[in-house]
Amino acid sequence: MQWDIYCRVVDNFGDIGVSWRLARALAQRSPHAVRLFVDDWATLRRLLPRAPAVPAPFVDSKVSVQPWAVAEVPTTLADCVIEAFGCALPPIYLAAMRDAQTPPVWINLEYLSAEDWIEDCHGLPSPDPATGLAKTFFFPGFTARSGGLIREPDVFSRRDAAQAETGRHQWLAAHGGADVSASAQWISLFSYDNPRLVPRLTDWQVSETPVVLWVPEGTAWRGLMPWLGESHAAQTCWQRGALTVCALPFLSMADYDRLLAMCDVNFVRGEDSFVRAQWAARPFVWQAYPQADAAHVDKMDAFLGRYLTTADTESAAAFEAMWRDWNGLGAQEQAWQRFSAALPTLRQHARQWCDQIAATDGLVERLVKMVQPDVK
């Protein structure tokens, strides 16, 4: 069976990150061929440095990666075509689907949500007015009635290796300065622009215990560098009171997963890192992608409602206060101090939550069952 996935890059690395993970997981989990069509080659090359400098088809991890232009001329139709996040298929491909004797199964991969309403919409077909073909909506989510989450077969073995006693020392040998402590509280930061960053930096600077903040290359540096009094990352590590800030280059997906697994707390954003933080089974703080109509607040509240169901009242309150503060929903008094005090309990809860959502089929298994219900 041939699978085609189409991705237009809109949100920096979010759209392509999810699409690449899905393509790779499909190729790993099923005996089928997978093609991934991408419109932004420069962004793709940041994730996949082995991609040709000039857009051209290549194969990585059994996935055939194609420039978008390949689909703007006649090409073979897949058995299943996945339109990532309503990106709109090339007109010539749509025309071929319409004229085919047996049209492909057409899936619209939606954004991840914990909201209740997605369960009633997941798996529903909708007729496309331009072609008359049925397009099925696939909603990733956290319940049995949703599309699930992308989960590679080796995600937990890699996590456990990173969390072994030698994990941090191995990381420091490759990325850390001589003065970076393996026993300090480690925090990772991956965020959009956020005015609440400075209060957190101040909290960590005056912390009673040493804090190491790992910051991969990206948007977070725009808020961080002025606070450090630097115009650019001219060095690797900076010391400010109890806080050590460590600059990292752009990380591969595998190295970012490894960093999440080793840190005591992870600040993440968007969709892909949000899911990866949950597989890391460590406490995390999510920055939802800000939307003008405040829809991101509904998404955040829906997730908190699910995630904190079994948490004790005090820990749940500290967790929610930290998230609301970080998402600009009103400064919460002593937000970090309360969150930090609750970390031992929140760490246990993070592992329990990870085990809970890993106990059911992942997104790929649910997708294959939807497309091929008779295949075991």
Side-chain angles (χ1 to χ4, degrees):
M1 184 172 180
Q2 174 75 50
W3 299 75
D4 280 354
I5 302 173
Y6 284 83
C7 172
R8 291 187 187 272
V9 177
V10 177
D11 175 27
N12 294 310
F13 301 102
D15 302 313
I16 183 58
V18 172
S19 297
W20 169 246
R21 287 194 192 274
L22 172 59
R24 187 177 59 180
L26 263 173
Q28 290 175 339
R29 286 287 184 108
S30 65
H32 311 305
V34 181
R35 294 191 299 184
L36 172 63
F37 295 86
V38 183
D39 71 331
D40 186 338
W41 205 254
T43 299
L44 172 74
R45 291 195 72 221
R46 298 301 305 277
L47 289 180
L48 300 176
R50 287 171 287 181
V54 177
F58 72 100
V59 176
D60 189 304
S61 303
K62 299 195 291 186
V63 176
S64 176
V65 184
Q66 307 279 331
W68 191 272
V70 171
E72 293 180 331
V73 297
T75 185
T76 56
L77 289 178
D79 300 292
C80 178
V81 57
I82 300 173
E83 183 179 334
F85 314 119
C87 66
L89 300 176
I92 195 168
Y93 196 92
L94 274 177
M97 289 170 58
R98 180 195 61 210
D99 297 338
Q101 184 174 0
T102 304
V105 177
W106 187 0
I107 301 289
N108 185 62
L109 178 67
E110 288 287 347
Y111 289 102
L112 170 66
S113 178
E115 295 169 289
D116 291 335
W117 65 265
I118 73 164
E119 295 185 337
D120 295 325
C121 298
H122 174 64
L124 292 182
S126 177
D128 175 62
T131 63
L133 301 176
K135 176 163 58 173
T136 300
F137 288 84
F138 191 97
F139 284 85
F142 302 91
T143 67
R145 293 180 56 203
S146 73
L149 304 170
I150 298 174
R151 186 179 74 236
E152 302 90 346
D154 63 347
V155 64
F156 298 134
S157 61
R158 290 189 290 110
R159 177 199 65 193
D160 294 344
Q163 292 178 351
E165 185 176 352
T166 58
R168 288 189 173 186
H169 295 284
Q170 293 172 350
W171 179 268
L172 289 174
H175 299 286
D179 298 328
V180 178
S181 170
S183 60
Q185 183 179 65
W186 279 22
I187 300 172
S188 75
L189 175 65
F190 182 57
S191 68
Y192 304 113
D193 288 327
N194 193 333
R196 299 304 297 163
L197 174 58
V198 170
R200 293 292 79 75
L201 294 170
T202 302
D203 288 335
W204 299 329
Q205 183 182 19
V206 299
S207 172
E208 294 181 359
T209 57
V211 174
V212 177
L213 180 66
W214 296 97
V215 189
E217 176 188 329
T219 306
W221 276 111
R222 286 205 292 265
L224 185 59
M225 297 308 292
W227 185 85
L228 288 170
E230 302 283 349
S231 59
H232 62 285
Q235 60 193 74
T236 303
C237 295
W238 295 261
Q239 190 79 36
R240 298 292 185 272
L243 173 63
T244 300
V245 179
C246 293
L248 290 169
F250 189 88
L251 297 176
S252 68
M253 286 181 160
D255 277 344
Y256 183 65
D257 285 348
R258 185 179 166 201
L259 176 65
L260 293 174
M262 290 184 296
C263 284
D264 299 293
V265 180
N266 294 300
F267 284 74
V268 295
R269 74 180 204 194
E271 181 168 326
D272 186 56
S273 61
F274 175 47
V275 174
R276 308 314 293 185
Q278 292 172 64
W279 294 142
R282 292 289 169 89
F284 65 104
V285 182
W286 180 47
Q287 184 182 11
Y289 184 78
Q291 295 173 272
D293 58 358
H296 64 292
V297 179
D298 294 336
K299 290 179 179 291
M300 185 190 77
D301 287 340
F303 179 77
L304 288 173
R306 295 191 186 281
Y307 186 80
L308 297 175
T309 298
T310 60
D312 69 85
T313 303
E314 185 175 352
S315 297
F319 191 91
E320 182 172 353
M322 184 70 254
W323 277 43
R324 299 190 77 80
D325 184 285
W326 188 243
N327 281 275
L329 302 176
Q332 306 289 314
E333 185 176 356
Q334 297 286 300
W336 172 255
Q337 289 77 6
R338 294 168 59 198
F339 184 85
S340 182
L343 281 177
T345 302
L346 291 175
R347 187 162 175 162
Q348 294 177 354
H349 183 75
R351 176 59 68 123
Q352 292 168 357
W353 170 259
C354 178
D355 292 344
Q356 175 184 325
I357 58 176
T360 58
D361 283 344
L363 185 149
V364 169
E365 290 79 9
R366 300 186 197 196
L367 180 61
V368 170
K369 287 179 180 178
M370 176 181 286
V371 175
Q372 296 180 290
D374 296 329
V375 175
K376 301 296 185 182

